[in-house]
Each structure stands twice: as structure tokens, then as C-alpha cells.
Amino acid sequence: AVSQWRAQPPLAVDECPPPLFETMADDEQESPFIKLKSKQEEIFEVEREVACRSVTVKNMVEDTGSDTPVPLPMVDSKILIKVIEYCKYHNNAEQNAQKPTEEDKNNWDKEFVKVDDETLFNLILAANYLDIKSLLDLTCKTVADEIKGKTPEEIRVRFNIKNDFTPEEEEEVKRENAWCEER
């Protein structure tokens, strides 16, 4: 028998692919859920289209199928819960017939990032690892907004950063970057 190959339309950016090889009977349906395994090996069952907002998860599902949990050894359970919450909200916002306004989404995002510094920085790391651009942009912008308009000393105090420059080194850095201050 000759195999029949059909060209498939390209996938949307956040759309999960079908499995590479069909192993199910014709009457079985592909699960609408994907299991994600956190750093602590906790399993989270997530809707396929929500999970595939992560390019990393989408690629893993494409490579290995969706039968086994997708290992996410760089993402703590507590942070994965927050990432799933973010992805669910934005997925539902896009799918909902009565889409929330941009203002509603922006207000939700502002509330979402009202977290302690450790959680915020772990969300940045998770968004980067999972390749969720909108979450990475949101979390990085939140940190940038905290820094904007502050002196280096104020930034050190705000983020508890130790100044390891000698006074001479600090003066040299100021001289080399004087153009930054000329506005």
C-alpha cells in the first residue's frame, strides 16, 4: 500500500501540532489536555491550546507527542501555577465572543504582576525558558518601570543589590557613561 501524504496548513504561533505518528484507533480522539511536569515533578493537566502558548511546550509536544507529561525542570510548581493562570486568561480573552477591552487586559496584567520580587524574577525566568513572549515582555516591563527615573543607588536599595565597585571604579564608570546623563 502506498502512503498518502497531505500537505498540512501552517500552524498558528500558539497552536499545538497533532502528534507526529497516529497511534490511536480511528474512533479515539486526541486528548484536549497536555500534562506539564514541574521541577518538583508535580503534574499539571492543562488545556492543549493554553499549554501551547509556550513555544517550548509546543515544540516538545510536536517532537514527542502528548501522551507523556512535558518535563519542565527549570520551572517551580508555584511559578508554573502563575504561568498557567496567565496563559489561561489570555487564551480565554482571545477565544471569548465578548473579548475584554485592551484596558481590561492591561488592568488584569497589572494585577497579575503585583507579586514579590522573587516571584517576579522567577516569572521572568520561566517566561524566557517557556518562550512566552507576551509574559516575558510584561514581566520585564514591570522591572523596567521600577527602575525608570531612579539613581543607581536607589536601584541598589530597591532591589537589595550590593555595590561592589570601589569609589574609583564607580567614578570611571560614570565618566565612561556620561553620555547617558546628557539629555
Side-chain angles (χ1 to χ4, degrees):
V2 176
S3 297
Q4 294 292 323
W5 291 92
R6 284 183 275 133
Q8 298 292 323
L11 296 172
V13 171
D14 60 353
E15 182 181 2
C16 265
L20 287 178
F21 303 101
E22 293 298 325
T23 56
M24 299 178 257
D26 289 339
D27 59 338
E28 288 183 48
Q29 292 250 329
E30 183 179 83
S31 172
F33 293 95
I34 291 177
K35 292 179 181 167
L36 305 176
K37 188 192 308 187
S38 71
K39 180 182 195 173
Q40 291 79 12
E41 304 210 353
E42 272 188 81
I43 303 292
F44 297 86
E45 197 166 69
V46 182
E47 292 173 3
R48 176 177 287 273
E49 57 190 36
V50 170
C52 286
R53 294 185 78 85
S54 159
V55 175
T56 302
V57 170
K58 179 181 158 208
N59 290 340
M60 287 177 151
V61 169
E62 190 174 277
D63 292 344
T64 63
S66 59
D67 296 338
T68 58
V70 175
L72 302 172
M74 304 299 288
V75 185
D76 189 81
S77 294
K78 175 185 157 199
I79 299 303
L80 186 54
I81 289 167
K82 290 287 288 176
V83 170
I84 292 168
E85 176 189 356
Y86 175 86
C87 290
K88 274 184 182 177
Y89 173 81
H90 284 277
N91 188 67
N92 292 342
E94 288 174 12
Q95 304 299 324
N96 196 336
Q98 296 179 326
K99 294 185 188 318
T101 64
E102 281 303 309
E103 183 180 349
D104 289 341
K105 286 193 279 188
N106 289 340
N107 288 337
W108 189 92
D109 283 349
K110 280 181 189 161
E111 285 302 311
F112 178 80
V113 291
K114 284 185 179 175
V115 293
D116 60 84
D117 288 348
E118 181 181 2
T119 300
L120 181 60
F121 290 119
N122 282 321
L123 281 169
I124 290 172
L125 294 172
N128 186 50
Y129 173 72
L130 294 169
D131 199 354
I132 305 172
K133 186 180 180 333
S134 60
L135 179 57
L136 183 59
D137 289 347
L138 172 65
T139 52
C140 287
K141 182 184 181 311
T142 302
V143 172
D145 289 345
E146 282 283 326
I147 291 172
K148 195 183 308 179
K150 290 191 166 92
T151 66
E153 188 54 38
E154 290 170 328
I155 294 168
R156 283 189 201 104
V157 169
R158 166 63 186 86
F159 292 105
N160 198 24
I161 300 169
K162 181 179 172 265
N163 183 3
D164 55 0
F165 285 122
T166 65
E168 295 79 27
E169 290 172 328
E170 199 164 344
E171 274 307 311
E172 183 180 342
V173 169
K174 284 180 183 176
R175 272 195 314 279
E176 289 174 357
N177 296 290
W179 60 271
C180 292
E181 300 298 322
E182 298 168 4
R183 293 183 190 175

